């Protein structure tokens, strides 16, 4: 597997990443999801290595959330001397790739999302509820009253002796369940869009429809290409997938939907 590639290993702050790398030219990071190993790319990566420097990490630790894993990937690429690079995510790893692009938009040159369903559409935050002290049990706003009619204790609470520590921002609180189950909507990513070019690659066979519309809430400049093949495009149609990725990542063009 990974003919012509070299095996590498890098120790980061709290994890060791093993990876395969080869080629020269613009850097491309190939990501796999928890459902399939990094060898998912073993037939595609050597074809891309003819044009690019290909890095394929083994993201084998399922306990790490998408935010942690994105930071791991950035550290890996920087350790190899790549300050900018393109990213391709396969299957569920497309959500990881999107999160990496949303949180590091100046590092990711181009983004490819392969054989993946789009995440839930981001929704605007709900309006803040009025303080409970101003609403009776009926839920209706109270009638206007003279200030003396309202007990001061319902309006002003005594200040605590020691202020409670501020909660960590949701985007970085990776221990929460939401950080692991909603990768692309994690914290501040909910309000972000990626403005650099994006390619959605989908399996045109089997009655599937083009999912590009579902990615548009997250991506400004998005295009798509359908490839005849089964559910596992990297194994069923590696040449076609490598050709589509190569054309797009080489600052070329792809069919635009």
């Amino acid at each position: 597997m990974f003919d012509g590639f070299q095996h590498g290993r890098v120790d980061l702050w709290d994890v060791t990443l093993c990876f395969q790398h080869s080629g020269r030219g613009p850097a491309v990071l190939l990501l796999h999801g928890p459902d399939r190993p990094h060898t998912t790319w073993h037939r595609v990566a050597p074809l891309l290595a003819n044009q690019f420097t290909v890095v394929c990490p083994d993201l084998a630790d399922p306990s790490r959330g998408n935010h942690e894993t994105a930071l791991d990937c950035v550290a890996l690429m920087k350790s190899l001397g790549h300050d900018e690079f393109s990213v391709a995510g396969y299957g569920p790893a497309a959500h990881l790739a999107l999160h990496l692009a949303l949180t590091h938009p100046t590092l990711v040159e181009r983004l490819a999302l392969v054989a993946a369903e789009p995440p839930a559409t981001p929704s605007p935050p709900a309006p803040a509820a009025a303080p409970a002290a101003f609403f009776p049990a009926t839920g209706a706003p109270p009638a206007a009253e003279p200030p003396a009619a309202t007990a001061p204790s319902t309006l002003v609470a005594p200040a605590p002796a020691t202020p409670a520590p501020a909660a960590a921002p949701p985007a970085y609180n990776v221990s929460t369940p939401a950080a692991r189950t909603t990768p692309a909507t994690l914290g501040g990513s909910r309000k972000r869009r990626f403005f650099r070019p994006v390619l959605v690659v989908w399996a045109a066979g089997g009655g599937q429809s083009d999912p590009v519309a579902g990615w548009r809430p997250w991506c400004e400049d998005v295009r798509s290409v359908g490839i005849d093949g089964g559910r596992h495009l990297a194994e069923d149609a590696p040449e076609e997938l490598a050709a589509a990725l190569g054309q797009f990542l080489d600052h070329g063009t792809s069919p635009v939907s």
Side-chain angles (χ1 to χ4, degrees):
M1 290 188 178
F2 289 101
D3 293 339
F5 275 60
Q6 293 181 328
H7 179 77
R9 178 188 177 102
V10 61
D11 293 320
L12 304 178
W13 38 83
D14 61 346
V15 69
T16 297
L17 278 186
C18 296
F19 60 95
Q20 304 286 341
H21 65 112
S22 184
R24 57 183 175 180
V28 179
L29 177 66
L30 302 181
L31 302 178
H32 69 94
D35 60 329
R36 299 180 68 77
H38 72 296
T39 52
T40 293
W41 291 104
H42 81 276
R43 297 182 65 187
V44 177
L47 300 175
L48 291 176
N50 293 325
Q51 297 174 258
F52 309 98
T53 298
V54 178
V55 181
C56 188
D58 183 5
L59 306 175
D61 187 351
S63 68
R64 299 182 73 78
N66 270 20
H67 189 72
E68 291 170 301
T69 305
L71 292 176
D72 295 342
C73 291
V74 170
L76 167 63
M77 296 303 281
K78 285 186 174 293
S79 75
L80 296 174
H82 305 305
D83 293 325
E84 289 187 320
F85 49 90
S86 295
V87 182
Y90 191 92
H95 290 198
L96 167 61
L98 175 62
H99 180 71
L100 195 160
L102 291 174
T103 53
H104 299 85
T106 61
L107 304 183
V108 178
E109 294 182 310
R110 291 190 166 224
L111 176 64
L113 309 165
V114 182
E117 292 296 324
T121 303
S123 56
F134 291 94
F135 287 83
T138 60
E145 299 180 14
T150 305
S153 61
T154 63
L155 298 177
V156 180
T162 303
Y172 301 96
N173 189 4
V174 295
S175 63
T176 61
R180 305 188 186 282
T181 58
T182 56
T185 60
L186 184 61
S189 297
R190 181 186 302 276
K191 300 178 182 178
R192 300 176 186 173
R193 298 187 81 201
F194 185 64
F195 290 91
R196 290 184 173 183
V198 177
L199 176 68
V200 174
V201 184
W202 57 286
Q208 296 182 348
S209 58
D210 188 346
V212 68
W215 294 99
R216 286 202 169 107
W218 303 97
C219 309
E220 179 71 20
D221 180 11
V222 59
R223 62 206 71 194
S224 71
V225 58
I227 295 178
D228 290 332
R231 180 168 173 262
H232 303 302
L233 288 178
E235 298 174 4
D236 297 336
E239 293 84 3
E240 293 83 351
L241 177 56
L245 291 175
Q247 184 181 25
F248 170 70
L249 297 174
D250 194 30
H251 296 189
T253 58
S254 299
V256 179
S257 299

